[in-house]
């Protein structure tokens, strides 16, 4: 049974709700605020597309690979302790980023930010859940927590445009300093410690091998366009990725409590849903990486205006996401996911036909279509992954679903960036390279829509099993991974 703090007074719960939601807001704001500042970073830091890819992927890679371990770490060593440590690391890393004199220092700061976020996010929701043992109160609290996540995503492009236009790109990181300071001061005084003594041990070998393996793959994809795809260092990076990821699979197959139980992949529904989630992260993050650059470098917008111009996609996601689960419950995972992927794929293909002289009135609806499409996919895909496994492993399944989306995001920035670099090395313009990247993302997304339309169903061996229901009993033990992943 997980150790839980006393429920406390209504005012204490209100303070805890504010602290945990504000922490999650800070992390999600960082996901989108950086994209708005990429053109200014490129200009002031004198870097090329490869440098911008590392600025984004360094953060996403660490979040993706440490998310599951961060939740287990919080359960074992104290959710308050891990949450506040994550806040401190994230805030300090934001200062490092703002003071970075070069791309190398900025990437190092982004790595530290990713480590802080991977600790902060699951611990924040675990604290929130432990303080609200009554099911209905817990649902409301998690709804507010998720709502702050949506606000952070939607506010990022506008806040990034405003801050960068007024003060330059370092300001997008300094905005985290007062938020982090308040969270630390209030959190130290108001949060109660909670832990789960029966939580499994952290899978250190699996975590290290996954970070190194995916990192080596990302290195080969990002640097290949600049160094040459047949250069020894790039071929060596791909070879290292294969060896490290093979070692990861071998280690996970032998551990009694692996971070990624390979037996889950015997279920077709689990495999198909996670494969589709990789594509969602790939196309969504990979295309979003270029939105501000398109408006600034191709259409000549200011950084502030570009931030506003990218808003339709994030707003569409915030508005539609809460309804995706309900639609899936009514019409089934396959119909909703396939429809969403088809809409997003068509939107991306439409973006691939936008030109420098295309009016914004003929652009915004394409961004909105992409946002609506992907909003329809994420929650149902997580639900499908949960339904594919047993009732006791729903939290783990949804955590893996969130991780696969982040892995797709790492690969999306790397691969679509490689598409642009390859076209440019062949003499094409940046605009033409972007067209190719959007068309590639749209094609992959549409192909995945066909894939889910055919295969996003239970295998025959699982058809008779009941769908798992999350525990809502007041005293139920809940791990950080479960509560965090189920909310994503």
């Amino acid at each position: 049974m997980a150790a839980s703090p006393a429920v406390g007074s209504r005012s204490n719960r209100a303070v805890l709700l504010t602290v945990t939601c504000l922490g999650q807001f800070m992390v999600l704001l960082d996901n989108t605020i950086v994209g708005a500042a990429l053109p200014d970073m490129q200009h002031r830091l004198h870097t090329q597309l490869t440098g911008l890819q590392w600025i984004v992927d360094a953060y996403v890679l660490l979040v993706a690979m440490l998310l599951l371990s961060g939740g287990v770490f919080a359960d074992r060593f104290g959710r308050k302790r891990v949450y506040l440590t994550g806040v401190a690391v994230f805030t300090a890393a934001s200062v490092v980023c703002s003071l970075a004199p070069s791309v190398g220092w900025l990437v190092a700061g982004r790595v530290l930010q990713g480590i802080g976020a991977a600790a902060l996010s699951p611990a924040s929701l675990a604290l929130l859940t432990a303080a609200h043992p009554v099911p209905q109160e817990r649902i409301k609290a998690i709804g507010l927590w998720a709502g702050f996540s949506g606000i952070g995503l939607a506010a990022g492009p506008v806040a990034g445009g405003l801050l960068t236009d007024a003060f330059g790109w370092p300001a997008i990181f300094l905005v985290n300093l007062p938020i982090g300071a308040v969270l630390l001061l209030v959190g130290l005084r108001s949060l109660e410690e909670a832990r789960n003594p029966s939580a499994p041990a952290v899978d250190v070998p699996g975590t290290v091998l996954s970070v190194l393996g995916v990192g080596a793959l990302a290195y080969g994809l990002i640097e290949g366009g600049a160094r040459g795809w047949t250069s020894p260092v790039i071929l060596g990076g791909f070879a290292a990725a294969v060896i490290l990821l093979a070692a990861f699979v071998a280690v996970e197959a032998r551990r009694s409590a692996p971070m990624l139980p390979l037996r889950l992949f015997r279920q077709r529904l689990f495999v198909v849903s996670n494969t589709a989630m990789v594509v969602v992260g790939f196309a969504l993050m990979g295309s979003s990486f270029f939105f501000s650059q398109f408006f600034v470098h191709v259409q000549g917008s200011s950084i502030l205006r570009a931030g506003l111009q990218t808003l339709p996609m994030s707003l569409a996601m915030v508005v539609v996401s809460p309804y995706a689960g309900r639609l899936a419950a009514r019409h089934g995972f396959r119909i909703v996911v396939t429809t969403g992927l088809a809409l997003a794929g068509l939107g991306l293909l439409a973006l691939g036909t936008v030109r420098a002289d295309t009016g914004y009135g003929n652009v915004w609806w394409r961004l909105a279509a992409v946002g609506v499409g992907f909003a329809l996919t994420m929650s149902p895909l997580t639900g499908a992954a949960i339904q594919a496994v047993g009732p006791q492993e729903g939290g783990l399944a949804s955590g893996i679903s969130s991780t696969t989306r982040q892995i797709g995001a790492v690969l999306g920035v790397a691969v679509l960036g490689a598409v642009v670099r390859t076209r440019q090395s062949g003499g094409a313009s940046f605009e033409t390279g972007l067209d190719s990247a959007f068309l590639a993302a749209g094609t992959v997304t549409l192909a995945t829509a066909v894939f889910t339309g055919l295969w996003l169903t239970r295998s025959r061996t699982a058809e008779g099993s009941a769908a798992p229901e999350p525990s809502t009993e007041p005293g139920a033990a809940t791990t950080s991974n479960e509560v965090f992943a189920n909310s994503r």
Side-chain angles (χ1 to χ4, degrees):
M1 182 70 67
S4 300
V7 174
S9 66
R10 183 180 298 272
S11 61
N12 288 341
R13 292 200 301 272
V15 171
L16 182 142
L17 179 63
T18 302
V19 169
T20 52
C21 287
L22 191 57
Q24 181 67 4
F25 170 84
M26 182 171 65
V27 169
L28 270 293
L29 179 70
D30 198 75
N31 278 0
T32 52
I33 199 172
V34 171
L38 289 176
D40 191 55
M41 292 177 179
Q42 185 172 20
H43 173 69
R44 293 175 183 250
L45 294 174
H46 308 290
T47 186
Q48 301 299 317
L49 182 61
T50 298
L52 299 182
Q53 288 175 277
W54 279 120
I55 290 169
V56 173
D57 261 0
Y59 175 82
V60 180
L61 173 65
L62 270 297
V63 173
M65 297 296 96
L66 299 181
L67 191 61
L68 291 173
S69 296
V72 175
F73 205 85
D75 285 330
R76 286 182 65 84
F77 300 104
R79 294 157 186 167
K80 173 183 177 179
R81 178 181 301 173
V82 172
Y83 174 78
L84 293 179
T85 300
V87 171
V89 171
F90 190 90
T91 305
S94 297
V95 176
V96 172
C97 289
S98 69
L99 299 175
S102 65
V103 172
W105 278 102
L106 181 53
V107 170
R110 293 287 283 165
V111 168
L112 291 176
Q113 273 194 315
I115 294 172
L120 186 165
S121 288
S124 70
L125 191 53
L127 282 167
L128 191 65
T129 304
H132 294 83
V134 179
Q136 292 304 316
E137 291 183 357
R138 183 191 309 153
I139 291 171
K140 292 178 182 178
I142 292 176
L144 287 172
W145 185 90
F148 267 82
S149 301
I151 294 172
L153 287 173
V158 178
L162 285 169
L163 292 170
T164 304
D165 192 62
F167 306 107
W169 67 262
I172 69 168
F173 296 109
L174 285 176
V175 73
N176 295 326
L177 185 57
I179 300 176
V182 169
L183 291 177
L184 288 172
L185 290 175
V186 177
L188 285 169
R189 297 181 58 182
S190 64
L191 296 180
E192 297 287 344
E193 187 58 278
R195 56 171 52 88
N196 180 8
S198 62
V202 176
D203 182 3
V204 175
T207 301
V208 172
L209 287 170
S210 64
V211 171
L212 294 177
V214 178
L217 179 59
Y219 175 84
L221 292 170
I222 292 175
E223 296 290 338
R227 298 175 180 268
W229 296 106
T230 59
S231 66
V233 67
I234 298 303
L235 294 177
F238 286 132
V242 171
I243 294 171
L244 289 166
L245 292 175
F248 169 76
V249 172
V251 168
E252 296 301 279
R254 296 187 177 187
R255 288 186 65 86
S256 58
M259 62 179 288
L260 182 65
L262 300 180
R263 55 182 169 73
L264 296 181
F265 290 91
R266 297 171 187 165
Q267 296 291 339
R268 185 178 71 192
L269 184 60
F270 188 82
V271 173
V272 173
S273 61
N274 279 284
T275 301
M277 191 65 94
V278 170
V279 173
V280 169
F282 174 93
L284 176 58
M285 190 67 177
S287 59
S288 299
F289 174 76
F290 289 110
F291 288 159
S292 288
Q293 297 179 68
F294 166 78
F295 287 119
V296 172
H297 296 316
V298 176
Q299 293 204 323
S301 296
S302 67
I303 292 178
L304 173 57
R305 185 180 177 188
L308 294 171
Q309 287 174 315
T310 62
L311 199 54
M313 189 187 78
S314 54
L315 282 179
M317 294 188 68
V318 171
V319 172
V320 175
S321 290
Y323 300 97
R326 302 176 195 176
L327 290 172
R330 180 178 300 176
H331 302 290
F333 296 127
R334 179 165 59 176
I335 292 176
V336 176
V337 169
T338 301
T339 301
L341 288 172
L343 180 59
L346 292 173
L348 289 168
L349 290 180
L351 284 172
T353 64
V354 173
R355 298 292 177 260
D357 58 353
T358 304
Y360 185 68
N362 200 22
V363 175
W364 72 266
W365 61 266
R366 307 174 195 231
L367 293 168
V370 173
V372 171
F374 283 128
L376 289 173
T377 64
M378 287 187 282
S379 176
L381 282 175
T382 300
I386 294 172
Q387 192 180 80
V389 302
Q392 301 304 316
E393 295 180 315
L396 176 61
S398 52
I400 293 171
S401 182
S402 180
T403 299
T404 55
R405 186 177 73 249
Q406 296 283 0
I407 292 173
V410 174
L411 298 178
V413 173
V415 172
L416 297 186
V419 169
V420 175
R421 285 296 300 266
T422 301
R423 291 302 307 273
Q424 287 183 299
S425 65
S429 65
F430 181 65
E431 178 184 355
T432 301
L434 287 185
D435 290 341
S436 298
F438 289 138
L439 291 173
T443 300
V444 171
T445 305
L446 283 177
T448 307
V450 175
F451 175 66
T452 57
L454 294 173
W455 298 104
L456 192 63
T457 57
R458 281 177 174 272
S459 60
R460 292 183 178 179
T461 57
E463 284 175 354
S465 61
E469 296 290 340
S471 175
T472 56
E473 293 302 316
T478 307
T479 68
S480 294
N481 278 343
E482 289 171 336
V483 294
F484 174 68
N486 279 324
S487 71
R488 298 290 285 176

